[in-house]
Amino acid sequence: MSPLTLRASRQTSCPIKVSFEFFPPKTPEMEATLWSSIQRLAPLNPQFVSVTYGAGGSTRERTHATVSRLVQETRLKPAAHLTCVAATKEEVDSVIRSYWDAGVRHVVALRGDPVAGIGTAYVPHPGGYQRTCDLVAGIKAIGDFEVSVSAYPEKHPEAPSLDADIDVLKAKVDCGADRAITQFFFDNDHYFRFLDRVRARGIDIPIVPGIVPVQNFKQTANFAAKTGASVPDWLAARFEGLDNDVETRRLVAAAVAAEQVLDLVDRGVNEFHFYTMNRADLVYAICHLLGLRDQSVKAAA
């Protein structure tokens, strides 16, 4: 029996739970890729699938269209992202009600990136929700939604300290948040140190690790730099020299992500949120290593 099999088999007493994040497509080609990925991952029976959201009418409409199609055409439970950016409370509340009317019962509440882009100063809309905790309270006031929020094991890049960032998370929980999903990380010790500090503050909701399989190392490293996630030297070394070698890069990416999630399982974690980038293969392979199987095949058997 291989080491991977030995490690994965340890999770049988505590079933693995997964969720997947997608983003709304901009083109017909991207839409085809998205729905192919959804069809590939759906039989793994995720807890929910989330769909990201940006400020502005077109992005908002694409998110709503994707979420509505998930409700109408699949058995998946969609979670719609929602932000405070560039909208009044009335506009945001209208979106919340439209999700409820569409059959959505789970919202991922986020402050959102500054209008001018990551790295610039965030300025709340004068007539909008000022903070994420206010948005969480607003969502709960409108309907009996499940609400997930974000958490940052290495702190949000705008937070003055990790303690201050945990204060923000505590406020979101006090306003009704049911779950926190972390920013991606590559060093599992960051997650466990963060979890210890969060629990010490009396925050007892699930803190679900966000996992990103590295489809493109340079892109992931650039995004990590903007979001406050560190990239260990050992990870950069794994992908060194593979810029033009797509197949080997995919194999390495699968090995790296599998190593990370199996270590988390070994240390007691049984719930994962995968940032899929609308691509299924790597995520499907990792879920297979975690012991998840195609439920439609079992049903047919």
Side-chain angles (χ1 to χ4, degrees):
M1 185 177 290
S2 73
L4 285 180
T5 305
L6 281 169
R7 292 172 69 184
S9 67
R10 297 178 194 171
Q11 52 85 20
T12 54
S13 61
C14 193
I16 297 295
K17 302 174 184 177
V18 297
S19 54
F20 306 126
E21 179 177 295
F22 302 101
F23 59 85
K26 296 180 180 179
T27 66
E29 293 77 14
M30 292 173 68
E31 182 158 0
T33 298
L34 167 64
W35 288 98
S36 174
S37 297
I38 289 172
Q39 290 167 3
R40 174 76 165 146
L41 294 172
L44 298 179
N45 196 28
Q47 283 191 294
F48 62 90
V49 295
S50 69
V51 182
T52 62
Y53 174 101
S58 60
T59 305
R60 186 163 56 208
E61 290 166 7
R62 289 198 301 271
T63 300
H64 193 280
T66 302
V67 168
S68 296
R69 186 174 171 185
L70 283 165
V71 171
Q72 294 164 9
E73 299 182 16
T74 77
R75 296 182 179 181
L76 297 170
K77 296 180 179 179
H81 286 219
L82 190 62
T83 75
C84 305
V85 175
T88 65
K89 287 183 180 180
E90 290 75 17
E91 290 169 330
V92 174
D93 289 351
S94 177
V95 174
I96 297 168
R97 293 189 183 95
S98 71
Y99 283 141
W100 183 271
D101 292 342
V104 176
R105 297 295 181 265
H106 186 173
V107 175
V108 180
L110 306 164
R111 189 203 69 181
D113 295 329
V115 175
I118 296 174
T120 62
Y122 177 79
V123 180
H125 190 288
Y129 287 104
Q130 300 297 291
R131 302 170 300 168
T132 311
C133 59
D134 302 321
L135 176 59
V136 172
I139 294 167
K140 290 286 190 177
I142 288 173
D144 187 21
F145 288 95
E146 181 178 2
V147 178
S148 296
V149 296
S150 60
Y152 295 82
E154 300 176 76
K155 90 172 184 64
H156 191 282
E158 297 174 30
S161 68
L162 185 55
D163 284 336
D165 203 23
I166 294 174
D167 288 341
V168 173
L169 177 59
K170 182 67 164 59
K172 291 186 280 192
V173 174
D174 290 344
C175 285
D178 300 291
R179 171 194 294 102
I181 300 168
T182 76
Q183 176 61 275
F184 67 82
F185 55 90
F186 298 107
D187 183 338
N188 289 346
D189 287 342
H190 287 310
Y191 170 78
F192 288 107
R193 283 194 293 266
F194 177 72
L195 191 62
D196 287 344
R197 295 177 75 160
V198 164
R199 298 301 185 224
R201 289 291 308 277
I203 298 171
D204 60 1
I205 64 171
I207 309 294
V208 181
I211 305 296
V212 58
V214 181
Q215 306 282 352
N216 182 302
F217 176 75
K218 284 188 175 180
Q219 288 180 1
T220 301
N222 288 339
F223 188 68
K226 295 177 180 179
T227 57
S230 61
V231 178
D233 291 341
W234 62 260
L235 183 62
R238 297 273 183 97
F239 289 93
E240 186 176 358
L242 298 179
D243 291 354
N244 299 315
D245 188 343
V246 176
E247 290 305 316
T248 303
R249 195 169 69 219
R250 286 169 57 81
L251 291 171
V252 171
V256 167
E259 183 179 9
Q260 179 179 18
V261 297
L262 290 173
D263 179 65
L264 288 166
V265 170
D266 280 350
R267 297 165 74 174
V269 177
N270 74 319
E271 189 171 350
F272 300 90
H273 184 74
F274 289 98
Y275 298 108
T276 71
M277 309 307 291
N278 286 10
R279 297 189 177 277
D281 288 351
L282 280 177
V283 175
Y284 191 94
I286 296 160
C287 289
H288 184 88
L289 288 173
L290 287 171
L292 300 180
R293 296 295 182 264
D294 186 330
Q295 297 301 306
S296 63
V297 173
K298 289 185 178 181

